[in-house]
Amino acid sequence: MRNREELKMMGTSLEAFNSTSYYDADQLSENLTSKENPIEECKQEINSSGLFDFVIYGVLMNLIGLFGIFGNAISMIILSRPQMKSSINYLLIGLARCDTMLIIISILIYGLPAIYAYTGLMFNYKFIVYPKIVRFLYPLSCMAQIATVYLTLTVTLERYIAVCHPLRARSFCTCGRAQLAVLIIVIFSFVYNLPKFWEVEYYTEIHWKYNVTVYCLQSADLRGNELYVTLYVHWMYFFICYLFPFLALVIFNATIYRRVRKANRDLQQLSRHQRREIGLATMLLCVVIVFLICNILPLASNIHETFLSEPPLPLVQMGNLLVTINSSINFIIYVIFGRKFKKIFLRLFCNPNLFGPGRDSPEFPTYDESIITNMTNIELRNSIRHYCLNRSNTISRNNNSVSNGSMRQSMKLGRPASPGPCVYYPARSPVRSPSQTSRTSSAQNGWSKKDIDPAL
């Protein structure tokens, strides 16, 4: 997304944004056909190819960006809820923040100037505000992009540990480590992109139509250094932003995918906690797949620039649009694949009558898990209840043996009789119906309907 062609677009008043729709048609036609005196804005000839740029940037990028800002804001609200507290959700909050920052900057750099290029609106922003702020927005956008890439890689690494090495997950996948990872990624992104603050500068000229002083962008002297451009702009950017993270994402997610497929075949043998981990890994696998698809064109553009020459302008524009789409679409993935995320979203922003009674089924890891075991509280209570029922049946058989006068046989059964079960039930009625008598005799024989079918 950030390459030499893109900086050239910004430094020369964005050739892709220039259009002829708001000028005097006769005067423009005469000047365009005259090679001796062409009309220029910021040292760029005005051309009639602004419609495509207006559709891509001025319409699609702005609309998708607004939706992405709205969706990321909702995602941050939901993932910040107390019942959603976990290391993976903290990483997803950081990812949503960087995505939002990247969307806002993309709209300011590409979307708003494209509106002027085709309609003539927002003249003051295009020639007064934009050249003064883009020298800061451009490095910030590079920081947000690299932070987004490495946060996505960190999310994948966290899922890899949780799914493929579950015994290490409790020590590695903690909120403290997640906060430290986000902090390290932000600092690294800031330090790596510091030189970009000195790549762009602006100058003044008199506008050809309105006869007022306007500001235009151009590349700074640092950008003209051959060693700097070859080493830092091309090769380091290619390896740090694309090659290393993309290879790591493919390797880790291929391993997670094989583990998920194996787990789906043995689904009946998994505990509820393990099923939840597999479901979350599947959702984040979709996030990574969308990320890779949306970054294919920017990767191709960067490879073309690094090894061949400046990439075609439509390739750069479509790549920028896909990066904005990738930063805006995670909210939809969370709603589709995250059951608890969807329930909380509907509960906060939609009609509460859509919910049935009962507690939400956790899709994300939450803090209501048992610290000692790997089971949730519900599973722990069910196991205790099952143990107590079995113990009650044993006691019932012991008592039956004692009542028949066989004390020696009762002693051979092992454990002494407990004073009572560990789960309290309502007192039994002294008068029993025939059906109750039948259930009692069945329990004395060592089985019951609950033992046959726990769902009853």
Side-chain angles (χ1 to χ4, degrees), residues 45-107:
E45 293 185 15
I46 297 174
N47 56 72
S48 57
S49 62
L51 179 59
F52 179 78
D53 310 311
F54 174 73
V55 172
I56 296 298
Y57 286 154
V59 178
L60 294 180
M61 180 174 286
N62 288 334
L63 293 179
I64 294 172
L66 291 176
F67 171 79
I69 294 172
F70 178 75
N72 288 332
I74 295 178
S75 298
M76 287 184 283
I77 292 174
I78 296 176
L79 295 174
S80 301
R81 305 287 292 179
Q83 61 267 40
M84 301 291 284
K85 182 180 179 181
S86 67
S87 60
I88 188 66
N89 288 342
Y90 191 88
L91 294 175
L92 293 179
I93 291 173
L95 180 61
R97 290 172 180 171
C98 293
D99 283 336
T100 303
M101 179 179 175
L102 185 61
I103 293 171
I104 294 174
I105 295 176
S106 297
I107 291 176

Side-chain angles (χ1 to χ4, degrees), residues 277-340:
E277 295 292 338
I278 295 298
L280 182 57
T282 303
M283 184 193 73
L284 296 178
L285 189 63
C286 295
V287 172
V288 174
I289 291 175
V290 171
F291 172 84
L292 293 175
I293 292 175
C294 291
N295 281 274
I296 287 178
L297 287 185
L299 175 60
S301 176
N302 189 268
I303 293 175
H304 191 285
E305 180 185 13
T306 302
F307 297 99
L308 299 176
S309 60
E310 294 182 358
L313 192 58
L315 181 65
V316 177
Q317 295 168 332
M318 292 301 300
N320 292 339
L321 179 62
L322 286 176
V323 170
T324 305
I325 292 175
N326 175 69
S327 298
S328 307
I329 204 172
N330 286 343
F331 167 73
I332 299 177
I333 299 176
Y334 299 157
V335 171
I336 294 175
F337 294 96
R339 183 169 55 183
K340 188 172 185 181

Side-chain angles (χ1 to χ4, degrees), residues 240-274:
I240 292 178
C241 192
Y242 286 107
L243 185 62
F244 168 71
F246 274 48
L247 286 178
L249 284 173
V250 171
I251 293 172
F252 283 126
N253 282 280
T255 307
I256 294 173
Y257 176 72
R258 288 196 297 267
R259 179 67 181 88
V260 169
R261 287 191 60 185
K262 181 180 178 181
N264 287 333
R265 290 195 298 265
D266 304 330
L267 194 61
Q268 299 299 328
Q269 302 178 3
L270 300 178
S271 66
R272 184 173 182 175
H273 174 79
Q274 292 172 325

Side-chain angles (χ1 to χ4, degrees), residues 119-416:
T119 64
L121 302 175
M122 305 185 70
F123 176 86
N124 289 331
Y125 176 80
K126 176 65 172 64
F127 290 104
I128 305 298
V129 179
Y130 170 75
K132 294 181 179 180
I133 64 173
V134 76
R135 57 189 302 186
F136 305 104
L137 294 179
Y138 171 62
L140 291 176
S141 66
C142 296
M143 295 175 190
Q145 185 189 14
I146 291 184
T148 299
V149 171
Y150 280 91
L151 280 173
T152 304
L153 179 58
T154 306
V155 168
T156 299
L157 182 60
E158 199 272 352
R159 282 298 89 196
Y160 170 78
I161 296 175
V163 173
C164 300
H165 303 281
L167 297 180
R168 300 181 181 180
R170 289 200 174 270
S171 59
F172 283 94
C173 304
T174 63
C175 291
R177 291 182 182 272
Q179 294 174 3
L180 181 62
V182 173
L183 180 62
I184 292 175
I185 290 172
V186 171
I187 294 176
F188 168 76
S189 302
F190 178 79
V191 172
Y192 175 78
N193 290 283
L194 269 179
K196 296 185 182 297
F197 281 98
W198 292 273
E199 288 188 7
V200 183
E201 61 185 13
Y202 64 87
Y203 65 95
T204 60
E205 73 173 32
I206 304 299
H207 194 267
W208 67 274
K209 181 178 181 181
Y210 299 108
N211 198 27
V212 295
T213 301
V214 296
Y215 297 91
C216 301
L217 292 173
Q218 66 178 3
S219 301
D221 294 337
L222 180 62
R223 189 73 181 194
N225 188 301
E226 293 261 339
L227 181 61
Y228 173 82
V229 172
T230 302
L231 183 62
Y232 176 77
V233 177
H234 288 167
W235 288 102
M236 288 185 63
Y237 184 80
F238 173 71
F239 279 101
I240 292 178
C241 192
Y242 286 107
L243 185 62
F244 168 71
F246 274 48
L247 286 178
L249 284 173
V250 171
I251 293 172
F252 283 126
N253 282 280
T255 307
I256 294 173
Y257 176 72
R258 288 196 297 267
R259 179 67 181 88
V260 169
R261 287 191 60 185
K262 181 180 178 181
N264 287 333
R265 290 195 298 265
D266 304 330
L267 194 61
Q268 299 299 328
Q269 302 178 3
L270 300 178
S271 66
R272 184 173 182 175
H273 174 79
Q274 292 172 325
R275 293 181 184 181
R276 186 171 60 248
E277 295 292 338
I278 295 298
L280 182 57
T282 303
M283 184 193 73
L284 296 178
L285 189 63
C286 295
V287 172
V288 174
I289 291 175
V290 171
F291 172 84
L292 293 175
I293 292 175
C294 291
N295 281 274
I296 287 178
L297 287 185
L299 175 60
S301 176
N302 189 268
I303 293 175
H304 191 285
E305 180 185 13
T306 302
F307 297 99
L308 299 176
S309 60
E310 294 182 358
L313 192 58
L315 181 65
V316 177
Q317 295 168 332
M318 292 301 300
N320 292 339
L321 179 62
L322 286 176
V323 170
T324 305
I325 292 175
N326 175 69
S327 298
S328 307
I329 204 172
N330 286 343
F331 167 73
I332 299 177
I333 299 176
Y334 299 157
V335 171
I336 294 175
F337 294 96
R339 183 169 55 183
K340 188 172 185 181
F341 184 95
K342 179 168 61 177
K343 286 188 176 182
I344 296 178
F345 167 71
L346 295 175
R347 178 169 297 171
L348 292 178
F349 301 99
C350 301
N351 188 355
N353 295 329
L354 295 175
F355 302 94
R359 188 178 176 184
D360 293 336
S361 299
E363 180 69 17
F364 292 84
T366 60
Y367 57 79
D368 62 345
E369 294 179 356
S370 173
I371 299 176
I372 301 176
T373 67
N374 221 16
M375 298 183 296
T376 61
N377 292 336
I378 297 176
E379 291 172 330
L380 192 60
R381 289 196 298 269
N382 289 338
S383 63
I384 293 174
R385 182 184 295 272
H386 182 69
Y387 167 75
C388 294
L389 288 176
N390 290 337
R391 189 174 182 182
S392 299
N393 291 333
T394 304
I395 295 169
S396 176
R397 288 194 296 269
N398 290 341
N399 293 335
N400 188 27
S401 299
V402 172
S403 63
N404 290 332
S406 179
M407 179 64 69
R408 184 174 300 176
Q409 183 179 359
S410 174
M411 296 293 292
K412 290 181 180 180
L413 291 177
R415 300 186 185 93

